[in-house]
Amino acid sequence: MQKVSSPRLIVALDTADPAKLDLLLAQLDPQLCRVKVGKELFTALGPSVIDAVHAQGFELFLDLKYHDIPNTVAAACRVAADAGVWMLNVHALGGKAMLAAARESIQQSMHSPLLIGVTLLTSMGESELIELGITLSPTELVQHLARLSHQAGLDGVVCSAQEARLIKNELGTDFVLVTPGIRLPSDASHDQQRIVSPQQAMENGADFLVVGRPITQADSPADKLREFARLLSS
Ligand code: C5P
């Protein structure tokens, strides 16, 4: 199976409001983007949101960042895979046995979603790591967890576009990189600390770009999506 396919843009549907979700899905175009369902939307609407998104023709990244004992994570991943999601993720900090169990469980599903590891949340910096008793720098830890994900057979990792080049160089072009924190120069950065333009992210080796508020909070999400898509195709 080809791991990297168009569209490369993933729109984060970060809302708990079913009416807002319907409006967004009506304005987005499955030819131009995939969509991401995270903890807020999934907790608000439950698993029916997966069917709602599929019914509109979108492929779905289920961003629930599973992190638990291997058996529990493996079972949850299998349920998500059987629901037909296109991509799902697990915390690499859950350890190699957990990552390998997740890999093995989705292999038994008739669907084969991409399985992605979350390395270090971008909200965590040097001082937060020290607080946790971790002495590696954030970059060293991201590299270490990317390596661990690769060894456990995951398809790729979520990382910042600024770390993408380093990881691609070490782990190869087949290792899929999913990068949030994407902004056009005219966009507000919101709470993202390290923002990168879509073109720069692709040049750094990102395979899929996650964009939330610049599209979902635009006056016209449809126009803004087209603007992002144009930049990526040029
Ligand atoms: O609105 P914005 O474009 O900042 O949304 C980015 C999306 O990517 C959000 O859903 C956020 O939870 C997610 N994300 C992130 N940074 C990470 C991992 C995920 O911004 N390290």
Side-chain angles (χ1 to χ4, degrees), residues 12 14 36 65 121-122 158 180 183 192 210-214:
D14 292 326
K36 179 170 91 65
K65 302 185 179 73
L121 297 173
T122 41
V158 181
R183 294 289 185 273
Q192 295 285 6
V210 176
V211 183
R213 289 160 290 183

